[in-house]
Amino acid sequence: MAKRNVLVLNGPNLGMLGAREPEVYGHTTLADLERACREAGESLGLSVEVRQTDDEAELVGWLHQAATDSLPVVLNPAAFTHYSYALRDAVAMRTAPLIEVHLTNPAAREEFRRHSVVAEVASGTVAGFGLASYLLALQAIAHEPT
Ligand code: DQA
């Protein structure tokens, strides 16, 4: 059976993982994250493509592509989570499951991180488990009926 394609999309500053505030985000790099997601995808029957951008327009464009092609998405919107209505509106167009993920638990951090403008249009959210947040989201997608 053909593998289901899944996009794992990462927003601003996540390209700096490993070097970025390691006391908050740990030592895992984006390359480590990509490898782990692709490997998890292999065992779940998913073909996983991982992307990262610091550019809101590019992220919105990828969400349009996912909506057009009915691709499931694992999305870490990073700081856009908290204020980007453009991103929220693009997520609202989704035609397949979209799971919001966070490495940290934003609800337990600074006040401005406690609200997600994306959450109410996502299928669900996994936060606070580091890299495992992504792997749990991929499991949820793999178990979602097609
Ligand atoms: C984050 C949490 C956001 O508040 C923050 O702006 C990030 C990373 C996370 O994965 O924990 O860039 O999305």
Side-chain angles (χ1 to χ4, degrees):
M1 208 173 74
K3 284 193 181 144
R4 202 166 174 206
N5 293 324
V6 179
L7 291 179
V8 175
L9 304 180
N10 294 282
N13 301 306
L14 293 170
M16 293 297 287
L17 281 178
R20 175 191 184 192
E21 298 179 88
E23 67 287 1
V24 178
Y25 294 106
H27 295 279
T28 303
T29 65
L30 186 66
D32 297 333
L33 188 150
E34 173 165 11
R35 199 174 318 111
C37 287
R38 289 167 63 91
E39 282 173 12
E42 280 295 315
S43 57
L44 292 166
L46 305 172
S47 175
V48 175
E49 187 183 341
V50 179
R51 301 181 190 170
Q52 188 276 328
T53 182
D54 295 330
D55 180 357
E56 186 180 30
E58 187 167 34
L59 197 48
V60 166
W62 291 342
L63 291 168
H64 292 173
Q65 181 200 342
T68 303
D69 298 345
S70 284
L71 295 176
V73 174
V74 173
L75 173 66
N76 186 342
F80 292 146
T81 307
H82 313 297
Y83 68 89
S84 174
Y85 296 123
L87 202 69
R88 184 244 184 251
D89 286 351
V91 170
M93 290 179 220
R94 67 184 176 77
T95 54
L98 181 145
I99 303 182
E100 176 185 355
V101 296
H102 300 283
L103 294 156
T104 64
N105 177 6
R109 297 183 61 195
E110 301 95 319
E111 183 72 39
F112 78 91
R113 296 187 203 276
R114 296 194 190 146
H115 183 65
S116 165
V117 300
V118 169
E120 70 183 29
V121 286
S123 312
T125 303
V126 187
F129 303 106
L131 180 50
S133 296
Y134 289 72
L135 306 183
L136 290 166
L138 287 170
Q139 280 183 33
I141 285 171
H143 291 107
E144 182 85 23
T146 42

